[in-house]
């Protein structure tokens, strides 16, 4: 995979996985998402905004707080939220600010763009209706300690796109219908993020077929956590994906990375795959529930396979205590696959593959309550 040169349109979504009979053979696609054979079976003066916005100063970001799971997310917070209309906002070189209570139509660019900033809290904002690939909900570049919580993001190319940042904490948000097109299309993507405190926790994410154009729901690209404080994707609800031939649920280790963990997430019909390890070291998939109904683009529930052998290693992998019920395009159960080039996979025999306990009723019929 190759990166586009523009920093805003970088994205490395997981390569398409091709099924050939009962054997799995894979073909990588470029980040521009060229057509693949389907399964065979901006800068301002520091502290100055380009648009009016509600800002309160000297409020440190809350990175590292314990948050509720998506199951217990306080929906009353969204029901009682009030918003002030605003144009898109853009900040460079600010410290210790809170952006709160804004309703922003993204238009042709990011609804909120923050660069070279420290201690930022973005909360209780409504970010909607982008018109092209650059129109992400929140764009972060070279930021430290950013908390994004209780925001509603709908109908943008990508919900949160964080590049070259550390301490990015995305928690208790609701996002609906990521529109892409590729290389965008994620609810959250970390690109070259690093250090402790990078977490995606307790969010509700949903794509409705025909109203969205998603790639990976969550993509972690060339990003590195630290020992004892990995990049954590935990307790999120994800429903809906496809029909992308390359997109799916949660992609760890996209073109390398270290210390990344996906745990306690629920994924229902997330696309062509559920959760994947594409390369990297110290990667874990633990205690997740994944369901995929048969569709022409579906492939495999969980897999580990180093797609980047020429540039990245794949080792110290744990896949354990997951419950997966995933049907491939050919109509057969295909809940797991070990590509054989990531070394010994710890916990592989402790998973429940093909369990009927995981089905669409695991998640409530109404998941997104914000508007």
């Amino acid at each position: 995979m190759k990166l586009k040169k523009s920093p805003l349109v970088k994205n490395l979504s997981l390569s398409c996985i091709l099924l050939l009979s009962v054997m799995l053979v894979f073909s990588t696609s470029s980040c521009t998402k060229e057509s693949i054979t389907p399964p065979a079976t901006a800068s301002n003066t520091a502290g100055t905004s380009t648009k009016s916005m509600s800002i309160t100063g000297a409020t440190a970001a809350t990175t590292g707080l314990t948050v509720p799971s998506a199951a217990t997310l306080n929906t009353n917070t969204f029901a009682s939220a009030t918003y002030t209309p605003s144009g898109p906002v853009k900040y460079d070189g600010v410290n210790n600010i809170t952006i709160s209570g804004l309703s922003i139509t993204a238009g042709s660019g990011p609804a909120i763009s923050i660069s070279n900033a420290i201690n930022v809290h973005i909360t209780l904002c409504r970010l909607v209706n982008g018109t092209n690939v650059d129109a992400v909900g929140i764009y972060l570049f070279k930021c430290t300690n950013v908390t994004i919580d209780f925001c509603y993001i709908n109908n943008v190319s990508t919900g949160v796109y964080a590049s070259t940042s550390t301490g990015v904490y995305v928690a208790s948000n609701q996002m609906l219908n990521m529109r892409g097109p590729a290389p965008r299309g994620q609810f959250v993507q970390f690109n070259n993020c690093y250090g402790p405190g990078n977490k995606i926790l307790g969010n509700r994410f949903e794509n409705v077929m025909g109203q969205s154009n998603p790639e990976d729901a969550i993509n972690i690209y060339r990003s590195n956590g630290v020992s004892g404080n990995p990049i954590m994707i935990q307790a999120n609800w994800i429903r809906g994906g496809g029909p992308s031939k390359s997109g799916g649920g949660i992609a760890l280790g996209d073109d390398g990375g270290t210390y990344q963990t996906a745990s306690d997430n629920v994924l229902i019909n997330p696309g062509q795959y559920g959760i994947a390890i594409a390369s990297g070291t110290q990667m874990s998939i633990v205690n997740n529930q994944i369901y995929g109904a048969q569709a022409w683009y579906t492939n495999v529930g969980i897999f580990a396979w180093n797609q980047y052998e020429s540039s990245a290693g794949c080792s110290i992998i744990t896949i354990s205590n997951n419950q997966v019920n995933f049907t491939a395009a050919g109509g057969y159960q295909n809940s797991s696959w070990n590509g054989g080039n990531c070394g010994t996979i710890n916990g592989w025999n402790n998973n429940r593959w093909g369990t009927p306990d995981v089905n669409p009723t695991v998640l409530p019929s109404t998941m997104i309550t914000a508007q």
Side-chain angles (χ1 to χ4, degrees):
M1 293 183 176
K2 299 177 182 178
L3 279 170
K4 282 184 171 287
K5 296 187 181 297
S6 168
L8 185 56
V9 295
K10 291 179 182 177
N11 171 50
L12 283 296
S13 285
L14 202 59
S15 300
C16 180
I17 309 166
L18 305 180
L19 290 170
L20 297 178
S21 185
V22 295
M23 299 294 291
L24 286 167
V25 179
F26 294 83
S27 171
T28 53
S29 65
S30 77
C31 352
T32 56
K33 295 292 183 183
E34 292 139 352
S35 178
I36 308 169
T37 304
T41 59
S43 179
N44 295 329
T45 303
T48 304
S49 170
T50 57
K51 302 289 183 180
S52 63
M53 64 189 298
S54 173
I55 296 285
T56 58
T59 303
T62 52
T63 301
L65 288 180
T66 300
V67 298
S69 72
T72 58
L73 185 152
N74 184 0
T75 56
N76 291 331
T77 301
F78 292 95
S80 62
T82 58
Y83 304 107
T84 300
S86 170
V89 296
K90 182 176 182 180
Y91 266 66
D92 183 31
V94 297
N95 299 327
N96 302 315
I97 66 168
T98 293
I99 303 172
S100 179
L102 300 184
S103 178
I104 301 173
T105 297
S108 61
I112 296 176
S113 179
I114 308 289
S115 58
N116 302 298
I118 300 173
N119 290 340
V120 176
H121 189 186
I122 302 171
T123 187
L124 290 168
C125 287
R126 180 179 183 271
L127 313 173
V128 299
N129 297 338
T131 59
N132 62 30
V133 70
D134 293 332
V136 303
I138 297 171
Y139 174 53
L140 306 177
F141 180 65
K142 292 188 176 180
C143 292
T144 299
N145 292 345
V146 179
T147 293
I148 300 166
D149 61 8
F150 293 105
C151 290
Y152 172 58
I153 303 178
N154 177 23
N155 198 39
V156 294
S157 64
T158 281
V160 175
Y161 179 50
S163 175
T164 325
S165 297
T166 186
V168 179
Y169 187 75
V170 183
S172 301
N173 302 281
Q174 296 191 18
M175 301 189 197
L176 178 66
N177 290 337
M178 299 299 102
R179 298 301 300 270
R184 297 273 61 81
Q186 304 77 28
F187 292 110
V188 182
Q189 183 178 39
F190 289 167
N191 182 347
N192 282 276
C193 291
Y194 60 93
N198 294 299
K199 302 182 187 298
I200 304 167
L201 304 179
N203 302 280
R204 298 185 181 187
F205 298 148
E206 183 166 19
N207 285 306
V208 178
M209 187 68 71
Q211 300 177 30
S212 58
N213 184 25
E215 286 296 320
D216 301 324
I218 297 172
N219 180 279
I220 309 299
Y221 173 71
R222 287 188 181 177
S223 295
N224 296 280
V226 298
S227 178
N229 200 329
I231 295 173
M232 180 65 73
I233 303 165
Q234 184 176 38
N236 301 283
W237 287 356
I238 299 171
R239 181 163 61 200
S244 168
K245 306 180 189 74
S246 54
I250 300 172
L252 303 182
D254 197 353
D255 207 4
T258 58
Y259 294 103
Q260 301 173 15
T261 297
S263 66
D264 304 292
N265 301 284
V266 180
L267 295 84
I268 302 297
N269 295 320
Q272 76 102 0
Y273 73 92
I275 305 179
I277 294 171
S279 65
T281 301
Q282 295 282 3
M283 302 287 174
S284 298
I285 302 174
V286 181
N287 297 331
N288 301 280
Q289 294 180 291
I290 305 169
Y291 172 82
Q294 180 185 8
W296 68 265
Y297 50 83
T298 55
N299 186 357
V300 62
I302 284 179
F303 76 84
W305 167 58
N306 185 5
Q307 300 178 59
Y308 303 93
E309 287 189 284
S310 64
S311 61
C314 188
S315 62
I316 316 179
I317 304 301
T318 298
I319 299 177
S320 183
N321 294 319
N322 300 284
Q323 300 179 60
V324 188
N325 180 9
F326 207 95
T327 304
Y332 54 89
Q333 179 64 222
N334 196 35
S335 287
S336 64
W337 189 70
N338 178 358
N341 59 357
C342 290
T344 300
I345 297 180
N346 301 309
W348 186 261
N349 293 329
N350 297 329
N351 299 281
R352 295 177 61 197
W353 308 123
T355 174
D357 297 343
V358 182
N359 56 65
T361 65
V362 172
L363 290 180
S365 57
T366 300
M367 208 172 80
I368 303 299
T369 61
Q371 57 183 319

